Amino acid sequence: MLIGINSILSPDLLATLRAMGHGDEIAIVDGNYPALAHARRLIRLDGLTLIPVIDAVLSVLPVDDFVDDALFRSTIGDSADDFDEIHHEIVKICKRHLPKKTAVPLVGEDFYAQVKNCHTVISTSEPRLYGNLIIQKGVIYPTEDKL
């Protein structure tokens, strides 16, 4: 255990988040997602649901502010406009951490293709369908006292 670090963030997950570079992406997916088939690197967080994992990751991971779109959510089939409750929860937790960012909908195969290019996939036990998010890592800017 560490002070100020959410206990959801396992040693392997913390090491992975630290090892990622600017522009690398990480996918956090539901229990039905074909994570093993799509992952270059896979971290399993069995027993945990999506929203607490997103919350924990966003508590330590800088999100890319060099691009307009750095958060991507899956959609219900081919409809970018339809929202299930899980999508509302994804948008809410992302807005809590990143008020100026939007979770952009990626339809079906576009979402799958982007996950296959992610640095890592985190597989949760989220039972709700289409509960998936991709986050693009940003940078931590130096402060004057660190220069």
Side-chain angles (χ1 to χ4, degrees):
M1 302 292 287
L2 297 170
I3 296 170
I5 301 293
N6 189 312
S7 62
I8 287 173
L9 301 172
S10 67
D12 288 341
L13 180 50
L14 282 171
T16 296
L17 295 173
R18 176 64 180 92
M20 290 171 61
H22 173 244
D24 282 343
E25 293 179 329
I26 191 161
I28 306 171
V29 299
D30 65 41
N32 287 296
Y33 191 91
L36 184 60
H38 288 187
R40 291 168 47 199
R41 293 170 196 85
L42 178 63
I43 295 177
R44 298 194 58 89
L45 293 181
D46 297 317
L48 296 172
T49 56
L50 189 79
I51 301 305
V53 174
I54 292 171
D55 187 38
V57 169
L58 289 178
S59 75
V60 297
L61 187 74
V63 174
D64 201 339
D65 61 359
F66 288 19
V67 296
D68 291 333
D69 300 329
L71 301 167
F72 305 92
R73 66 168 180 83
S74 61
T75 61
I76 302 169
D78 292 333
S79 175
D81 298 324
D82 290 341
F83 276 75
D84 270 352
E85 182 177 336
I86 190 69
H87 298 118
H88 290 291
E89 292 178 27
I90 290 169
V91 168
K92 183 178 177 182
I93 196 67
C94 289
K95 283 289 182 199
R96 194 176 110 223
H97 287 276
L98 304 154
K100 296 180 181 178
K101 291 286 185 188
T102 301
V104 176
L106 279 182
V107 177
E109 288 302 318
D110 293 336
F111 188 86
Y112 274 29
Q114 192 156 336
V115 170
K116 289 176 183 177
N117 288 316
C118 283
H119 180 281
T120 300
V121 175
I122 301 169
S123 180
T124 71
S125 291
E126 177 61 56
R128 293 175 288 180
L129 303 178
Y130 311 110
N132 308 298
L133 180 70
I134 297 170
I135 305 168
Q136 186 171 323
K137 186 177 181 181
V139 300
I140 298 174
Y141 295 93
T143 58
E144 289 295 321
D145 62 334
K146 304 270 184 186
L147 296 178

